[in-house]
Amino acid sequence: MNKKIVVQPHMPKTWNEASLENVVIGENEVSVYFSKSNGELNIEITQKKNWQIELILTNYSNSKYKLMTENFEVSKLNGYLIIKGNSDKLEISLETN
């Protein structure tokens, strides 16, 4: 059975950082870190298992980004930037300007 974690953050524009740490999902444990500074949005997702991670970002399909982890593919669909792959960590930085 393929197991997948889907994260689609909708943080208030006034928030510069937030995290959700050590959330137990089945036999997995997931943490999500979100920070904004100097015109960049940084998102990091970590997990104990090697389930598929799918990160869906609204209104970032035209943003420049830097994916800092391997084994992920990036696609754009209807204004969404979608990053998915299998790893214990996903780290991405996007321009917010």
Side-chain angles (χ1 to χ4, degrees):
M1 174 195 278
N2 292 335
K3 297 183 179 178
K4 179 180 0 179
I5 302 294
V6 178
V7 177
Q8 188 172 6
H10 293 278
M11 302 296 181
K13 290 184 185 265
T14 58
W15 288 17
N16 290 324
E17 61 182 53
S19 64
L20 194 59
E21 299 179 41
N22 307 316
V23 177
V24 176
I25 302 172
E27 64 263 3
N28 202 350
E29 192 172 298
V30 179
S31 295
V32 180
Y33 305 92
F34 167 94
S35 65
K36 280 192 308 188
S37 66
N38 301 321
E40 279 191 355
L41 168 63
N42 298 293
I43 298 174
E44 180 180 326
I45 301 171
T46 61
Q47 62 176 335
K48 299 275 183 187
K49 302 287 184 177
N50 196 20
W51 295 3
Q52 182 181 32
I53 297 174
E54 184 171 333
L55 174 62
I56 303 171
L57 299 171
T58 307
N59 300 322
Y60 286 96
S61 64
N62 294 321
S63 297
K64 292 182 183 178
Y65 63 86
K66 181 178 179 186
L67 193 57
M68 278 81 84
T69 46
E70 297 180 7
N71 301 322
F72 284 89
E73 62 182 48
V74 179
S75 61
K76 298 175 182 183
L77 180 65
N78 299 327
Y80 296 100
L81 185 65
I82 303 166
I83 303 97
K84 57 180 155 180
N86 288 78
S87 181
D88 61 346
K89 182 177 182 177
L90 165 62
E91 191 173 0
I92 189 167
S93 178
L94 303 108
E95 287 185 5
T96 59
N97 298 334

